[in-house]
Amino acid sequence: MAISCAMVMAAGLAVTTTNVPTAKAASYAELQQKQANHANLKAQLAGVDSDLASTIEELNDLANNQIPAAQQAAQESLQASYQAQSLADATNQRLEAAKQDKATLEQKIKDTGIEYDDAKESVAEIARNSFHGSDASNMMDVVTDAKSTDEFVAQMQSDSAAARSASNTADAAATTLNTSMNRQQRLDAIEQQIAKLKEQADSQAAAAQKASQDAAAKQSNLEALQVKDSSVRQQLESQKSSLTTQSAKEAAEIVSLQAELAAMAAKAAAEEAARRASSYTPSSVGQQTGTSSSGSGSSGSSSGNAGSSGNSGGWSASGMNYAVPGSCPEGSSYCYGHNTGNTVGGAAYPARQCTLWAYLRRSQLSLPVGSYMGNGAQWAATARGLGYYVNNTPHVGAAMVFSQGQSVGGHWTADWQYGHVAVVERVNADGSVLISEGGTGFSTFPAWETIANAGNYQYVHY
C-alpha cells in the first residue's frame, strides 16, 4: 500500500499541485500483520489476571479493529448521502428548468397561437441578423439561389453549417425546432418530461433521505464505540498497577495509547462530518479542508537521547529540553532558538494528508512546526534549513521522515513521489516506535502503527 503525502507549496516556494491516490483495501500482508500483533499481545499478557487481560484485549480490539472499521463505514456512508443528495438536487434543477420551458411556451401560445411556426421565424430572424440589416430579398439569390423567402428559410434550415456559422441560436432553430414538433407536440413532450423528472426527483429524494439516515446511524455507532473506548481506557487505568511483568505493563501502555489515538480519530471524523453538514447547500456540496482538532497528547518513555549525527542546523542537541509537551505555543514563528517556518498555520497542508497530521500533532504537543515543510520526504531537509535538530534517533513527539519509496516494516511502502511523515508517540523497549500518521491510504485520520528498525529513518526534533 503506497501512502501518499503531499502538500501545496506557496509563499516563496514553487507552487505544486498533486494528485493524491485514493485509499486502498487492506492487503493480505496487513491481515497477517494484525494477526501477528494480536498473537504478540497474547504472549505479553501471559500470566496476567484473566479479567485484566480481557480488558486489555477488548481495548486493543476497539482501537485497532472496531473503531477504524466504524470510522471508515461512517465516512463512506456520509459520502454516499452527499452523492445521493447532489443527484436529487440536479434532477430538481432539471425539473424546474422544464417547468420554466412549459411556462414560456404557454405564454407564446397565448400571445401568437398554437399554430405559429417558431422554427421558420427563428431561422428567418437569424438570417436577417447574419446580414447585419441588409435586405434579405436582395441577397438570398446570391447566397442560396432561392427565389422566395420561404425557399431561402428552407435552405438555411437544411444547411447546418450555415446555421452554425450564424450562431448557436440558428443551430438550435434549424436542428431542433424545425425538425421535430409543432407547438402542441412540444407542449405535450415538455409535460411528459416534467412527469418523468418529477418521478425521478421523488425517488431520488427518498434515496437521499435513506442515505442520510444511514449516515447518521453509522456516525452514532462510531460515537458509541468512542464512548466505550473511553470507558474501557478508564477501567484499564484503574487496574494497571496490578500488572507485575514489564512486558505486560508495556503492552497495556501501548494499547492504551492506541485507544487514545482511536478516540482522537473518531473525534476528528465527527468534527469533519459536522463541518460538512453545516457547509452543505443544495447543488453545492463543498469539500472542506481539515483543521486542527483538540485533544491531549500522551508522552511515552524514550530510551536514549538524540545524538548529533545528521544535523546541519548550526547547533547541537546539548542542553536541549526534550520534555513533551514542549513550550512552543501553536503557530509560533520562533522557538528553541530558530525560526519555525510557521507563517499560515496548517492551512497550506491538504486535508487528511500526513503533512497536515504531523503539523496538527506537533502543535498539540507544543512542539515547533512550519507551514511549508514540503511533502513528507522533504521535512528533514526543510527542518535542517530552518535550524531544527535532525538525526536518526527517535524521540516522543519527533516528526519521523520516510524517503520516497522507502519500505516500512515490510508491509507497505512510502509514496515514490512524496514520501511520508509521521509523529513518534512512543519509543518501545525493543527499539520499535509507535507512530501516529495521516494519509489517504489509511482508514482513519489519524492512523497508528508500530515500526521496527527505527534507526533507518530521520527524525525532526526541536
Side-chain angles (χ1 to χ4, degrees):
M1 177 172 65
I3 303 302
S4 170
C5 218
M7 71 164 287
V8 177
M9 308 289 286
L13 298 180
V15 177
T16 60
T17 302
T18 55
N19 295 319
V20 181
T22 56
K24 296 178 174 58
S27 67
Y28 180 65
E30 289 176 289
L31 177 61
Q32 286 183 313
Q33 185 65 43
K34 282 190 175 185
Q35 292 173 338
N37 290 343
H38 181 69
N40 184 56
L41 177 63
K42 295 279 287 186
Q44 288 180 286
L45 297 178
V48 173
D49 175 77
S50 60
D51 288 341
L52 180 53
S54 295
T55 298
I56 295 173
E57 289 178 17
E58 180 183 15
L59 191 58
N60 179 67
D61 186 52
L62 279 166
N64 291 290
N65 297 309
Q66 294 186 49
I67 289 179
Q71 184 177 339
Q72 186 167 14
Q75 289 170 341
E76 291 173 352
S77 188
L78 181 64
Q79 185 62 37
S81 74
Y82 279 117
Q83 290 173 343
Q85 186 60 56
S86 180
L87 180 60
D89 288 344
T91 301
N92 272 313
Q93 286 182 339
R94 293 171 60 202
L95 176 60
E96 290 305 312
K99 288 179 178 178
Q100 183 59 50
D101 287 344
K102 179 183 177 184
T104 300
L105 182 56
E106 287 176 334
Q107 184 61 45
K108 286 182 178 181
I109 291 173
K110 181 179 179 182
D111 292 341
T112 54
I114 202 162
E115 301 297 333
Y116 190 83
D117 192 336
D118 294 287
K120 180 176 178 179
E121 176 57 28
S122 296
V123 178
E125 177 64 24
I126 292 304
R128 289 191 292 271
N129 292 339
S130 69
F131 291 119
H132 305 289
S134 301
D135 185 353
S137 64
N138 294 333
M139 299 292 297
M140 61 188 179
D141 183 62
V142 175
V143 177
T144 65
D145 293 326
K147 303 304 179 183
S148 67
T149 301
D150 286 346
E151 188 177 348
F152 175 76
V153 170
Q155 288 280 5
M156 287 290 289
Q157 290 172 334
S158 65
D159 189 343
S160 61
R164 282 195 298 273
S165 69
S167 72
N168 290 334
T169 307
D171 182 64
T175 61
T176 302
L177 293 175
N178 185 56
T179 58
S180 57
M181 311 168 184
N182 60 37
R183 279 182 166 180
Q184 182 60 60
Q185 291 171 321
R186 282 160 46 216
L187 185 61
D188 292 342
I190 291 174
E191 289 176 341
Q192 291 173 10
Q193 182 72 357
I194 287 174
K196 180 180 178 181
L197 288 171
K198 182 65 168 64
E199 183 179 352
Q200 285 182 344
D202 290 343
S203 175
Q204 289 166 359
Q209 178 67 21
K210 184 179 183 303
S212 178
Q213 292 171 347
D214 184 58
K218 292 290 197 304
Q219 186 62 38
S220 294
N221 180 55
L222 176 59
E223 291 169 0
L225 288 175
Q226 186 180 4
V227 170
K228 184 177 181 180
D229 173 271
S230 178
S231 174
V232 177
R233 266 193 294 143
Q234 292 179 359
Q235 182 181 349
L236 176 58
E237 286 298 320
S238 67
Q239 296 177 304
K240 274 200 309 186
S241 60
S242 64
L243 293 169
T244 56
T245 67
Q246 182 59 35
S247 63
K249 289 179 180 178
E250 183 173 68
E253 288 175 2
I254 291 172
V255 168
S256 183
L257 186 51
Q258 289 174 332
E260 184 176 354
L261 291 169
M264 291 169 62
K267 184 174 185 293
E271 290 174 348
E272 176 66 11
R275 280 194 297 272
R276 293 185 64 178
S278 65
S279 67
Y280 173 77
T281 55
S283 305
S284 177
V285 181
Q287 181 70 30
Q288 302 299 305
T289 301
T291 55
S292 176
S293 60
S294 61
S296 60
S298 297
S299 60
S301 60
S302 172
S303 57
N305 295 320
S308 59
S309 62
N311 185 58
S312 60
W315 60 294
S316 72
S318 177
M320 284 180 61
N321 176 13
Y322 275 98
V324 177
S327 58
C328 290
E330 182 174 353
S332 298
S333 60
Y334 191 86
C335 196
Y336 292 101
H338 63 89
N339 291 325
T340 65
N342 198 319
T343 55
V344 296
Y349 298 112
R352 288 185 60 84
Q353 291 304 298
C354 64
T355 47
L356 176 61
W357 173 250
Y359 177 89
L360 294 177
R361 186 58 172 151
R362 292 270 294 184
S363 296
Q364 289 173 354
L365 296 174
S366 296
L367 301 176
V369 62
S371 300
Y372 297 99
M373 301 294 286
N375 296 327
Q378 297 172 314
W379 276 51
T382 303
R384 286 190 183 97
L386 290 167
Y388 288 76
Y389 187 72
V390 181
N391 67 4
N392 297 101
T393 303
H395 187 278
V396 173
M400 184 177 184
V401 180
F402 301 75
S403 301
Q404 296 99 325
Q406 187 170 16
S407 177
V408 182
H411 59 282
W412 62 269
T413 302
D415 187 271
W416 286 91
Q417 181 177 358
Y418 308 122
H420 187 55
V421 65
V423 176
V424 177
E425 299 289 344
R426 176 186 170 84
V427 179
N428 301 319
D430 62 359
S432 64
V433 291
L434 175 66
I435 61 172
S436 62
E437 57 200 331
T440 56
F442 301 112
S443 59
T444 64
F445 181 84
W448 54 92
E449 61 181 320
T450 298
I451 304 293
N453 303 317
N456 292 343
Y457 309 94
Q458 296 186 85
Y459 299 90
V460 176
H461 298 284
Y462 293 82

mmCIF file of all heavy atoms in Angstrom, residues 338-367:
data_model
loop_
_atom_site.group_PDB
_atom_site.id
_atom_site.type_symbol
_atom_site.label_atom_id
_atom_site.label_comp_id
_atom_site.label_asym_id
_atom_site.label_seq_id
_atom_site.Cartn_x
_atom_site.Cartn_y
_atom_site.Cartn_z
ATOM 1 N N HIS A 338 15.422 29.220 16.965
ATOM 2 C CA HIS A 338 15.448 29.257 15.495
ATOM 3 C C HIS A 338 14.052 29.584 14.968
ATOM 4 O O HIS A 338 13.050 29.473 15.683
ATOM 5 C CB HIS A 338 15.921 27.919 14.921
ATOM 6 C CG HIS A 338 15.007 26.765 15.235
ATOM 7 N ND1 HIS A 338 13.953 26.409 14.428
ATOM 8 C CD2 HIS A 338 15.000 25.898 16.284
ATOM 9 C CE1 HIS A 338 13.327 25.368 14.960
ATOM 10 N NE2 HIS A 338 13.942 25.034 16.085
ATOM 11 N N ASN A 339 13.995 29.969 13.698
ATOM 12 C CA ASN A 339 12.705 30.176 13.047
ATOM 13 C C ASN A 339 12.012 28.834 12.869
ATOM 14 O O ASN A 339 12.640 27.847 12.489
ATOM 15 C CB ASN A 339 12.895 30.832 11.671
ATOM 16 C CG ASN A 339 13.384 32.257 11.782
ATOM 17 O OD1 ASN A 339 13.012 32.969 12.709
ATOM 18 N ND2 ASN A 339 14.230 32.683 10.852
ATOM 19 N N THR A 340 10.715 28.797 13.125
ATOM 20 C CA THR A 340 9.970 27.537 12.959
ATOM 21 C C THR A 340 9.470 27.364 11.531
ATOM 22 O O THR A 340 9.156 26.244 11.119
ATOM 23 C CB THR A 340 8.755 27.495 13.898
ATOM 24 O OG1 THR A 340 7.834 28.525 13.516
ATOM 25 C CG2 THR A 340 9.171 27.689 15.349
ATOM 26 N N GLY A 341 9.349 28.441 10.774
ATOM 27 C CA GLY A 341 8.771 28.356 9.437
ATOM 28 C C GLY A 341 7.255 28.414 9.453
ATOM 29 O O GLY A 341 6.601 28.155 8.442
ATOM 30 N N ASN A 342 6.684 28.756 10.609
ATOM 31 C CA ASN A 342 5.230 28.812 10.727
ATOM 32 C C ASN A 342 4.742 30.208 10.358
ATOM 33 O O ASN A 342 5.012 31.163 11.065
ATOM 34 C CB ASN A 342 4.797 28.455 12.155
ATOM 35 C CG ASN A 342 3.333 28.066 12.224
ATOM 36 O OD1 ASN A 342 2.490 28.668 11.584
ATOM 37 N ND2 ASN A 342 3.043 27.047 13.013
ATOM 38 N N THR A 343 4.030 30.312 9.234
ATOM 39 C CA THR A 343 3.537 31.615 8.777
ATOM 40 C C THR A 343 2.027 31.650 8.600
ATOM 41 O O THR A 343 1.404 32.686 8.825
ATOM 42 C CB THR A 343 4.191 31.988 7.431
ATOM 43 O OG1 THR A 343 3.961 30.938 6.493
ATOM 44 C CG2 THR A 343 5.686 32.203 7.603
ATOM 45 N N VAL A 344 1.423 30.522 8.201
ATOM 46 C CA VAL A 344 -0.031 30.499 7.980
ATOM 47 C C VAL A 344 -0.690 29.333 8.714
ATOM 48 O O VAL A 344 -1.771 28.878 8.337
ATOM 49 C CB VAL A 344 -0.359 30.420 6.470
ATOM 50 C CG1 VAL A 344 0.116 31.647 5.742
ATOM 51 C CG2 VAL A 344 0.227 29.154 5.835
ATOM 52 N N GLY A 345 -0.056 28.839 9.773
ATOM 53 C CA GLY A 345 -0.606 27.689 10.473
ATOM 54 C C GLY A 345 -0.573 26.451 9.596
ATOM 55 O O GLY A 345 0.338 26.253 8.794
ATOM 56 N N GLY A 346 -1.591 25.607 9.687
ATOM 57 C CA GLY A 346 -1.628 24.381 8.894
ATOM 58 C C GLY A 346 -2.441 24.505 7.626
ATOM 59 O O GLY A 346 -2.713 23.498 6.965
ATOM 60 N N ALA A 347 -2.820 25.737 7.263
ATOM 61 C CA ALA A 347 -3.721 25.934 6.121
ATOM 62 C C ALA A 347 -3.133 25.473 4.803
ATOM 63 O O ALA A 347 -3.869 25.194 3.857
ATOM 64 C CB ALA A 347 -4.111 27.410 6.021
ATOM 65 N N ALA A 348 -1.806 25.393 4.688
ATOM 66 C CA ALA A 348 -1.181 25.022 3.412
ATOM 67 C C ALA A 348 -1.206 23.517 3.159
ATOM 68 O O ALA A 348 -0.932 23.084 2.043
ATOM 69 C CB ALA A 348 0.262 25.520 3.378
ATOM 70 N N TYR A 349 -1.520 22.723 4.182
ATOM 71 C CA TYR A 349 -1.476 21.271 4.025
ATOM 72 C C TYR A 349 -2.846 20.715 3.639
ATOM 73 O O TYR A 349 -3.865 21.108 4.213
ATOM 74 C CB TYR A 349 -0.997 20.616 5.322
ATOM 75 C CG TYR A 349 0.405 21.028 5.718
ATOM 76 C CD1 TYR A 349 0.628 21.818 6.845
ATOM 77 C CD2 TYR A 349 1.494 20.642 4.961
ATOM 78 C CE1 TYR A 349 1.912 22.212 7.202
ATOM 79 C CE2 TYR A 349 2.777 21.023 5.306
ATOM 80 C CZ TYR A 349 2.982 21.806 6.434
ATOM 81 O OH TYR A 349 4.253 22.193 6.772
ATOM 82 N N PRO A 350 -2.906 19.773 2.683
ATOM 83 C CA PRO A 350 -4.191 19.216 2.237
ATOM 84 C C PRO A 350 -4.862 18.379 3.323
ATOM 85 O O PRO A 350 -4.197 17.769 4.172
ATOM 86 C CB PRO A 350 -3.802 18.329 1.044
ATOM 87 C CG PRO A 350 -2.424 18.750 0.661
ATOM 88 C CD PRO A 350 -1.774 19.247 1.901
ATOM 89 N N ALA A 351 -6.180 18.326 3.269
ATOM 90 C CA ALA A 351 -6.973 17.582 4.252
ATOM 91 C C ALA A 351 -6.585 16.112 4.269
ATOM 92 O O ALA A 351 -6.321 15.507 3.238
ATOM 93 C CB ALA A 351 -8.464 17.720 3.927
ATOM 94 N N ARG A 352 -6.503 15.562 5.467
ATOM 95 C CA ARG A 352 -6.271 14.135 5.736
ATOM 96 C C ARG A 352 -4.874 13.646 5.376
ATOM 97 O O ARG A 352 -4.554 12.487 5.596
ATOM 98 C CB ARG A 352 -7.319 13.254 5.020
ATOM 99 C CG ARG A 352 -8.707 13.314 5.617
ATOM 100 C CD ARG A 352 -9.653 12.326 4.939
ATOM 101 N NE ARG A 352 -9.171 10.943 5.069
ATOM 102 C CZ ARG A 352 -9.394 10.162 6.115
ATOM 103 N NH1 ARG A 352 -10.066 10.616 7.150
ATOM 104 N NH2 ARG A 352 -8.931 8.923 6.140
ATOM 105 N N GLN A 353 -4.026 14.515 4.833
ATOM 106 C CA GLN A 353 -2.695 14.053 4.442
ATOM 107 C C GLN A 353 -1.757 13.958 5.642
ATOM 108 O O GLN A 353 -1.989 14.538 6.705
ATOM 109 C CB GLN A 353 -2.113 14.974 3.380
ATOM 110 C CG GLN A 353 -2.825 14.893 2.047
ATOM 111 C CD GLN A 353 -2.850 13.476 1.496
ATOM 112 O OE1 GLN A 353 -1.820 12.876 1.231
ATOM 113 N NE2 GLN A 353 -4.038 12.919 1.333
ATOM 114 N N CYS A 354 -0.654 13.212 5.451
ATOM 115 C CA CYS A 354 0.304 13.008 6.542
ATOM 116 C C CYS A 354 0.934 14.328 6.976
ATOM 117 O O CYS A 354 1.231 14.517 8.154
ATOM 118 C CB CYS A 354 1.374 12.012 6.120
ATOM 119 S SG CYS A 354 2.401 12.555 4.758
ATOM 120 N N THR A 355 1.120 15.246 6.037
ATOM 121 C CA THR A 355 1.729 16.536 6.382
ATOM 122 C C THR A 355 0.823 17.338 7.305
ATOM 123 O O THR A 355 1.297 17.984 8.238
ATOM 124 C CB THR A 355 2.022 17.336 5.103
ATOM 125 O OG1 THR A 355 0.867 17.307 4.243
ATOM 126 C CG2 THR A 355 3.196 16.743 4.343
ATOM 127 N N LEU A 356 -0.488 17.295 7.053
ATOM 128 C CA LEU A 356 -1.422 18.012 7.929
ATOM 129 C C LEU A 356 -1.417 17.398 9.324
ATOM 130 O O LEU A 356 -1.372 18.109 10.332
ATOM 131 C CB LEU A 356 -2.834 17.976 7.349
ATOM 132 C CG LEU A 356 -3.907 18.623 8.243
ATOM 133 C CD1 LEU A 356 -3.617 20.099 8.470
ATOM 134 C CD2 LEU A 356 -5.302 18.438 7.659
ATOM 135 N N TRP A 357 -1.436 16.042 9.401
ATOM 136 C CA TRP A 357 -1.452 15.427 10.722
ATOM 137 C C TRP A 357 -0.167 15.746 11.487
ATOM 138 O O TRP A 357 -0.216 16.040 12.688
ATOM 139 C CB TRP A 357 -1.642 13.913 10.645
ATOM 140 C CG TRP A 357 -1.486 13.302 12.017
ATOM 141 C CD1 TRP A 357 -0.471 12.519 12.458
ATOM 142 C CD2 TRP A 357 -2.355 13.525 13.132
ATOM 143 N NE1 TRP A 357 -0.643 12.217 13.789
ATOM 144 C CE2 TRP A 357 -1.795 12.829 14.236
ATOM 145 C CE3 TRP A 357 -3.524 14.236 13.323
ATOM 146 C CZ2 TRP A 357 -2.391 12.817 15.492
ATOM 147 C CZ3 TRP A 357 -4.128 14.235 14.583
ATOM 148 C CH2 TRP A 357 -3.553 13.527 15.646
ATOM 149 N N ALA A 358 0.981 15.687 10.813
ATOM 150 C CA ALA A 358 2.232 15.994 11.502
ATOM 151 C C ALA A 358 2.202 17.421 12.040
ATOM 152 O O ALA A 358 2.670 17.685 13.161
ATOM 153 C CB ALA A 358 3.417 15.808 10.548
ATOM 154 N N TYR A 359 1.629 18.344 11.264
ATOM 155 C CA TYR A 359 1.511 19.723 11.741
ATOM 156 C C TYR A 359 0.576 19.790 12.956
ATOM 157 O O TYR A 359 0.909 20.397 13.980
ATOM 158 C CB TYR A 359 0.972 20.646 10.640
ATOM 159 C CG TYR A 359 0.781 22.061 11.141
ATOM 160 C CD1 TYR A 359 1.817 22.977 11.069
ATOM 161 C CD2 TYR A 359 -0.409 22.454 11.742
ATOM 162 C CE1 TYR A 359 1.678 24.257 11.584
ATOM 163 C CE2 TYR A 359 -0.570 23.718 12.260
ATOM 164 C CZ TYR A 359 0.471 24.619 12.182
ATOM 165 O OH TYR A 359 0.328 25.875 12.714
ATOM 166 N N LEU A 360 -0.593 19.157 12.855
ATOM 167 C CA LEU A 360 -1.572 19.210 13.947
ATOM 168 C C LEU A 360 -1.020 18.569 15.222
ATOM 169 O O LEU A 360 -1.154 19.132 16.323
ATOM 170 C CB LEU A 360 -2.860 18.496 13.525
ATOM 171 C CG LEU A 360 -3.669 19.127 12.389
ATOM 172 C CD1 LEU A 360 -4.874 18.255 12.059
ATOM 173 C CD2 LEU A 360 -4.127 20.527 12.762
ATOM 174 N N ARG A 361 -0.404 17.403 15.080
ATOM 175 C CA ARG A 361 0.064 16.683 16.274
ATOM 176 C C ARG A 361 1.226 17.407 16.937
ATOM 177 O O ARG A 361 1.256 17.527 18.172
ATOM 178 C CB ARG A 361 0.472 15.253 15.882
ATOM 179 C CG ARG A 361 0.831 14.365 17.075
ATOM 180 C CD ARG A 361 -0.310 14.266 18.046
ATOM 181 N NE ARG A 361 -0.059 13.279 19.090
ATOM 182 C CZ ARG A 361 -0.561 13.344 20.321
ATOM 183 N NH1 ARG A 361 -1.344 14.357 20.658
ATOM 184 N NH2 ARG A 361 -0.288 12.401 21.191
ATOM 185 N N ARG A 362 2.163 17.907 16.152
ATOM 186 C CA ARG A 362 3.260 18.680 16.743
ATOM 187 C C ARG A 362 2.709 19.916 17.461
ATOM 188 O O ARG A 362 3.199 20.296 18.527
ATOM 189 C CB ARG A 362 4.252 19.093 15.655
ATOM 190 C CG ARG A 362 5.041 17.953 15.032
ATOM 191 C CD ARG A 362 6.330 17.645 15.732
ATOM 192 N NE ARG A 362 7.312 18.711 15.635
ATOM 193 C CZ ARG A 362 8.552 18.615 16.128
ATOM 194 N NH1 ARG A 362 8.950 17.504 16.741
ATOM 195 N NH2 ARG A 362 9.402 19.626 16.002
ATOM 196 N N SER A 363 1.700 20.531 16.866
ATOM 197 C CA SER A 363 1.100 21.707 17.502
ATOM 198 C C SER A 363 0.416 21.324 18.806
ATOM 199 O O SER A 363 0.514 22.049 19.807
ATOM 200 C CB SER A 363 0.092 22.362 16.551
ATOM 201 O OG SER A 363 0.723 22.860 15.392
ATOM 202 N N GLN A 364 -0.294 20.186 18.813
ATOM 203 C CA GLN A 364 -0.942 19.711 20.034
ATOM 204 C C GLN A 364 0.072 19.493 21.151
ATOM 205 O O GLN A 364 -0.212 19.728 22.331
ATOM 206 C CB GLN A 364 -1.687 18.405 19.759
ATOM 207 C CG GLN A 364 -2.934 18.554 18.917
ATOM 208 C CD GLN A 364 -3.520 17.207 18.548
ATOM 209 O OE1 GLN A 364 -2.941 16.153 18.827
ATOM 210 N NE2 GLN A 364 -4.678 17.222 17.906
ATOM 211 N N LEU A 365 1.261 19.037 20.778
ATOM 212 C CA LEU A 365 2.311 18.742 21.762
ATOM 213 C C LEU A 365 3.186 19.953 22.059
ATOM 214 O O LEU A 365 4.204 19.826 22.728
ATOM 215 C CB LEU A 365 3.186 17.588 21.240
ATOM 216 C CG LEU A 365 2.471 16.246 21.066
ATOM 217 C CD1 LEU A 365 3.398 15.225 20.412
ATOM 218 C CD2 LEU A 365 1.952 15.728 22.397
ATOM 219 N N SER A 366 2.780 21.134 21.542
ATOM 220 C CA SER A 366 3.519 22.386 21.760
ATOM 221 C C SER A 366 4.962 22.281 21.292
ATOM 222 O O SER A 366 5.885 22.785 21.940
ATOM 223 C CB SER A 366 3.468 22.784 23.245
ATOM 224 O OG SER A 366 2.145 23.050 23.630
ATOM 225 N N LEU A 367 5.138 21.618 20.155
ATOM 226 C CA LEU A 367 6.453 21.489 19.540
ATOM 227 C C LEU A 367 6.487 22.347 18.275
ATOM 228 O O LEU A 367 5.464 22.531 17.621
ATOM 229 C CB LEU A 367 6.739 20.027 19.195
ATOM 230 C CG LEU A 367 6.720 19.052 20.375
ATOM 231 C CD1 LEU A 367 6.913 17.622 19.882
ATOM 232 C CD2 LEU A 367 7.788 19.417 21.390
#
